[in-house]
Amino acid sequence: MDRLDNTIRPYAWGSTTAIPHLLGVEPTGEPQAEMWMGAHPGAPSRTARGTLVEVVDADPKGELGAEAVAKFGPRLPFLLKILAAGAPLSLQVHPDLAQAREGYADEERRGVPADAPHRNYKDANHKPELICALTEFDGLCGFRDPVQAADLLAGLGVDSLKPYVDLLHAHPEEAALREVLTAILSADPAETARTVAEATAACTRLGGDYAPYADIAHHYPGDPGVIAAMLLNHVRLQPGEALFLGAGIPHAYLDGLGVEIMANSDNVLRCGLTPKHVDVPELLRVVRFEASDPGVLRPEAAPDGEELYETPIDEFRLSRYVLPEGGAAHDLTRDTPQILLCTAGTVRAGEHELGPGQSVFVPAGETARVSGAGTVFRATVIV
């Protein structure tokens, strides 16, 4: 197996302290948002044999296994991250596989440059994802019931929000949510800024259920996404709890440290809380306008000590082992590629000793035994 040297991405919303604290190093004072583990060309992990992209490209079947290559192609199907949010991320959705293929082909056909700021589709893949909390973790996930959203908006006492409140009460669920989100994102920017300012003052005054939106508005003053965020469920995960985010589900991470895993894609359509491009028509094509429970996941324990986070897709499979002092070693050998990530304590993986934030890549079929006292996350695929 290969010890991984991973890139930390300095996005502006990143925490300045969470990842350094996990790694046991001094903060630099700069935001450290995500640490990427995998073979994404944007920031591939490095090994003694070269980047993980180069390692996989040199022998896809040997590194990934014949079944994984047959099912997903000659690339590592997932990207594993440590994510540290110190400020809200953009409100966003991801396309399903058919939408991604169609959107990517259309932009390629129209000659939209790959690095153009208005480009929506960086690849032809979908991007389901799972976030598992390492600390308390706040996020927004899926639409509230329209009546509940109407009550939340009405409670602010802002006159310019009344048309949205009326729409949420007057239509069937899908039509109500679609019309209100469309209206929020299409409104005159100056009028929206005034509405957001009034709503922010009310959220700050009222606190309680409104406190998360006051904090969002502090980071994104005047942004229509502040109002759009109030249409969504607010979720606070405890350590070990997780959220699965499928195609078309609007979401945003607000604060906290977690392990994130996703299909190997960069496709994001933004709804707000961002200075980046918001393509309203394409967004409305992708969003699933239905109220839903966020569906907090807790791991399901197996007799061998593995705790699995069940999801409905095959590109990734995330589980963890909480290893007690003096416990028996676990054999994690599989015929699929794996990344093992330590998040607490000290874990031995093969010949490598791993501390928090350290990881290894295990080729398909390679013997993988772990022991020690700590927590190790296991990322692989289902074939």
Side-chain angles (χ1 to χ4, degrees):
M1 61 181 73
D2 301 275
R3 181 181 287 273
L4 298 180
D5 178 16
N6 303 305
T7 297
I8 295 175
R9 311 303 295 261
Y11 306 136
W13 49 262
S15 167
T16 59
T17 58
I19 289 179
H21 178 74
L22 180 72
L23 297 175
V25 299
E26 286 296 316
T28 64
E30 298 298 318
Q32 297 187 18
E34 296 180 347
M35 185 168 75
W36 287 21
M37 291 157 279
H40 192 286
S45 298
R46 296 169 294 277
T47 78
R49 297 189 285 157
T51 70
L52 201 51
V53 170
E54 293 167 341
V55 168
V56 171
D57 284 351
D59 183 10
K61 288 186 178 180
E63 300 296 334
L64 307 178
E67 289 183 289
V69 171
K71 187 168 184 176
F72 304 111
R75 60 185 180 83
L76 188 66
F78 63 83
L79 176 63
L80 184 67
K81 300 179 181 180
I82 291 175
L83 182 146
L89 282 68
S90 61
L91 192 60
Q92 59 189 259
V93 296
H94 306 302
D96 64 26
L97 190 55
Q99 290 165 339
R101 287 172 174 169
E102 181 182 343
Y104 180 76
D106 175 64
E107 290 187 325
E108 287 288 282
R109 187 167 50 250
R110 291 191 285 117
V112 180
D115 58 353
H118 63 284
R119 174 130 188 176
N120 294 315
Y121 296 95
K122 302 300 194 319
D123 53 68
N125 200 17
H126 62 165
K127 193 187 177 187
E129 60 190 40
L130 177 78
I131 183 78
C132 177
L134 295 178
T135 64
E136 278 199 346
F137 194 97
D138 281 284
L140 304 173
C141 178
F143 285 111
R144 297 175 184 267
D145 177 273
V147 173
Q148 294 177 355
D151 291 344
L152 193 70
L153 292 175
L156 293 172
V158 175
D159 288 344
S160 52
L161 292 176
K162 190 173 184 304
Y164 303 151
V165 173
D166 292 341
L167 283 171
L168 289 167
H169 280 298
H171 291 286
E173 177 180 291
E174 180 179 349
L177 294 170
R178 179 181 292 275
E179 288 192 35
V180 171
L181 184 62
T182 303
I184 290 169
L185 298 180
S186 304
D188 176 77
E191 293 180 7
T192 296
R194 287 191 291 271
T195 297
V196 172
E198 290 184 52
T200 300
C203 287
T204 303
R205 183 181 71 255
L206 292 167
D209 290 343
Y210 292 97
Y213 307 101
D215 184 64
I216 290 170
H218 169 74
H219 290 283
Y220 298 97
D223 192 300
V226 175
I227 306 302
M230 298 183 73
L231 303 177
L232 307 186
N233 299 296
H234 175 246
V235 185
R236 174 164 291 170
L237 300 177
Q238 297 304 310
E241 295 181 334
L243 288 174
F244 173 73
L245 300 156
I249 303 298
H251 62 278
Y253 302 145
L254 304 180
D255 182 72
L257 181 71
V259 173
E260 186 182 34
I261 190 167
M262 62 192 63
N264 202 356
S265 171
D266 256 352
N267 288 325
V268 176
L269 290 155
R270 294 174 177 84
C271 317
L273 310 182
T274 178
K276 296 182 179 179
H277 177 61
V278 177
D279 185 335
V280 174
E282 186 63 15
L283 173 72
L284 297 176
R285 188 178 78 90
V286 168
V287 170
R288 290 170 54 187
F289 289 98
E290 56 186 43
S292 61
D293 184 282
V296 174
L297 297 177
R298 295 171 182 84
E300 298 182 11
D304 67 352
E306 185 179 36
E307 299 178 335
L308 175 65
Y309 293 91
E310 288 276 8
T311 64
I313 53 95
D314 294 343
E315 280 90 343
F316 61 77
R317 178 186 187 275
L318 186 71
S319 61
R320 69 174 184 177
Y321 289 81
V322 181
L323 306 175
E325 184 76 45
H330 293 266
D331 186 352
L332 274 57
T333 306
R334 288 178 65 98
D335 291 330
T336 52
Q338 303 181 76
I339 291 178
L340 306 179
L341 164 67
C342 177
T343 59
T346 302
V347 173
R348 189 159 194 87
E351 63 186 24
H352 302 284
E353 187 172 279
L354 305 179
Q358 296 179 331
S359 56
V360 293
F361 172 71
V362 186
E366 185 83 13
T367 299
R369 292 177 64 82
V370 297
S371 59
T375 300
V376 61
F377 281 82
R378 177 198 213 183
T380 186
V381 300
I382 297 173
V383 294

